[in-house]
Amino acid sequence: MKQPRAWQRMLSGRRLDLLDPTPVDIEIEDIAHGLAFVARWNGQTQGDYAYSVAEHSLLVEEIFGRQVPGAPVKWRLAALLHDAPEYVIGDMISPVKAAVGPGYGALDDRLMAAIHLRFGLPSEVPKTVKRQIKRADKVSAWLEATRIAGFSEAEATRFFGRPETALIESCRIRLRPPLQVRADYTGRHAALMAAL
């Protein structure tokens, strides 16, 4: 019996095997392009443009830097890349991830390990750093939920926790064209790589 295709052709020309991804098949331009076109909240946000995973990732990295000001550059890079596998598997909302089951998590973990290795990070981020990035991710989710996704502050706080006012007061949710977000994502990645 013929096996179903489990690879995706990237715009860079790379052929990424989703079941056995290798670092050599990963390019930041592919990641940035894909994430700039993947909508958070299944596109259920206000504004003229979808709020992309690339934009979210830029915000998470910024918040992570505020929460952990002395963090090494490599962990800021990990924060920027925290949702990078979604460039090929999309952004599934939490209820869908729960319904799909553990297979989704395993696929995400394999892709993340290959992405980390490609950019000089350990395949697995230490648990303390992972928790710090997750905390920044939840702050971003709270901001997105209350500012563009129609959640009340009480509802968002129930799901994501209430962030410190000082941490979020100057954070901006930006809705921009995908190509602009793509350029900012690749630019931030380049800056972090140069600082490693």
Coordinates of all heavy atoms in Angstrom, one line a residue, residues 34-45 50-53 86 90-92:
G34 N 5.4 31.6 6.7 CA 4.3 30.8 7.1 C 3.6 31.4 8.3 O 2.3 31.5 8.3
L35 N 4.3 31.8 9.3 CA 3.7 32.4 10.5 C 3.0 33.7 10.3 O 2.1 34.0 10.9 CB 4.8 32.5 11.6 CG 5.4 31.3 12.2 CD1 6.4 31.6 13.3 CD2 4.4 30.3 12.7
A36 N 3.5 34.5 9.3 CA 2.9 35.7 9.0 C 1.5 35.6 8.3 O 0.7 36.5 8.4 CB 3.8 36.6 8.0
F37 N 1.3 34.4 7.8 CA 0.0 34.1 7.2 C -0.9 33.2 8.0 O -2.0 32.9 7.6 CB 0.2 33.5 5.8 CG 0.6 34.5 4.8 CD1 1.9 34.8 4.5 CD2 -0.4 35.2 4.1 CE1 2.3 35.8 3.6 CE2 0.0 36.2 3.1 CZ 1.3 36.5 2.9
V38 N -0.5 32.8 9.2 CA -1.3 31.9 10.1 C -2.0 32.8 11.1 O -1.3 33.6 11.8 CB -0.4 30.9 10.8 CG1 -1.3 30.1 11.8 CG2 0.2 29.9 9.8
A39 N -3.3 32.8 11.1 CA -4.0 33.7 12.0 C -4.2 33.0 13.4 O -4.5 31.9 13.5 CB -5.4 33.9 11.4
R40 N -4.0 33.9 14.4 CA -4.3 33.5 15.8 C -5.8 33.5 16.0 O -6.5 34.2 15.2 CB -3.6 34.4 16.8 CG -2.1 34.4 16.8 CD -1.5 33.6 17.9 NE -1.9 34.0 19.2 CZ -1.8 33.2 20.3 NH1 -1.4 32.0 20.2 NH2 -2.1 33.7 21.5
W41 N -6.3 32.8 17.0 CA -7.7 32.9 17.3 C -8.6 32.4 16.2 O -9.7 32.9 16.0 CB -8.1 34.3 17.9 CG -7.3 34.8 19.0 CD1 -6.2 35.6 18.9 CD2 -7.4 34.5 20.4 NE1 -5.6 35.8 20.1 CE2 -6.4 35.1 21.0 CE3 -8.3 33.7 21.1 CZ2 -6.2 35.1 22.4 CZ3 -8.2 33.6 22.5 CH2 -7.1 34.3 23.1
N42 N -8.1 31.6 15.3 CA -8.8 31.1 14.1 C -9.3 32.3 13.3 O -10.4 32.2 12.7 CB -9.9 30.2 14.5 CG -9.4 28.8 14.7 OD1 -8.3 28.4 14.4 ND2 -10.2 27.9 15.3
G43 N -8.6 33.4 13.4 CA -9.0 34.6 12.6 C -10.2 35.4 13.2 O -10.6 36.4 12.6
Q44 N -10.6 35.0 14.4 CA -11.8 35.6 15.0 C -11.3 36.8 15.9 O -11.4 36.9 17.1 CB -12.6 34.6 15.9 CG -13.2 33.5 15.1 CD -14.1 34.0 14.0 OE1 -15.1 34.7 14.3 NE2 -13.9 33.6 12.8
T45 N -10.7 37.8 15.2 CA -10.2 39.0 15.8 C -10.7 40.2 15.0 O -11.0 40.2 13.8 CB -8.7 39.0 15.8 OG1 -8.2 38.8 14.5 CG2 -8.1 37.9 16.8
A50 N -5.7 39.9 9.9 CA -5.6 38.8 10.9 C -4.4 39.1 11.8 O -3.4 39.6 11.4 CB -5.5 37.5 10.3
Y51 N -4.6 38.7 13.1 CA -3.5 38.8 14.0 C -2.7 37.5 13.8 O -3.1 36.4 14.2 CB -3.9 39.0 15.4 CG -2.8 39.3 16.4 CD1 -2.2 40.5 16.4 CD2 -2.4 38.3 17.3 CE1 -1.1 40.7 17.3 CE2 -1.3 38.5 18.2 CZ -0.7 39.8 18.2 OH 0.3 40.0 19.0
S52 N -1.5 37.7 13.3 CA -0.7 36.5 12.9 C 0.1 35.9 14.0 O 0.4 36.6 15.0 CB 0.2 36.8 11.7 OG 1.3 37.6 12.2
V53 N 0.5 34.6 13.9 CA 1.4 34.0 14.8 C 2.8 34.7 14.8 O 3.4 34.7 15.9 CB 1.5 32.5 14.5 CG1 2.5 31.8 15.4 CG2 0.1 31.8 14.6
E86 N 4.2 26.0 14.0 CA 3.0 26.3 13.4 C 3.1 26.9 11.9 O 2.1 27.0 11.2 CB 2.2 27.3 14.3 CG 1.9 26.7 15.6 CD 1.2 27.7 16.6 OE1 0.8 28.8 16.2 OE2 1.0 27.3 17.7
G90 N 0.1 24.9 11.4 CA -1.0 25.8 11.7 C -1.2 26.0 13.2 O -0.5 25.4 14.0
D91 N -2.0 27.0 13.6 CA -2.2 27.3 15.0 C -3.6 26.8 15.4 O -4.6 27.3 15.0 CB -2.2 28.9 15.1 CG -2.5 29.3 16.6 OD1 -2.1 28.5 17.5 OD2 -3.1 30.4 16.8
M92 N -3.5 25.7 16.1 CA -4.8 25.1 16.5 C -5.1 25.7 17.9 O -4.3 25.8 18.8 CB -4.6 23.5 16.7 CG -4.7 22.8 15.4 SD -4.9 21.1 15.8 CE -4.0 20.4 14.4

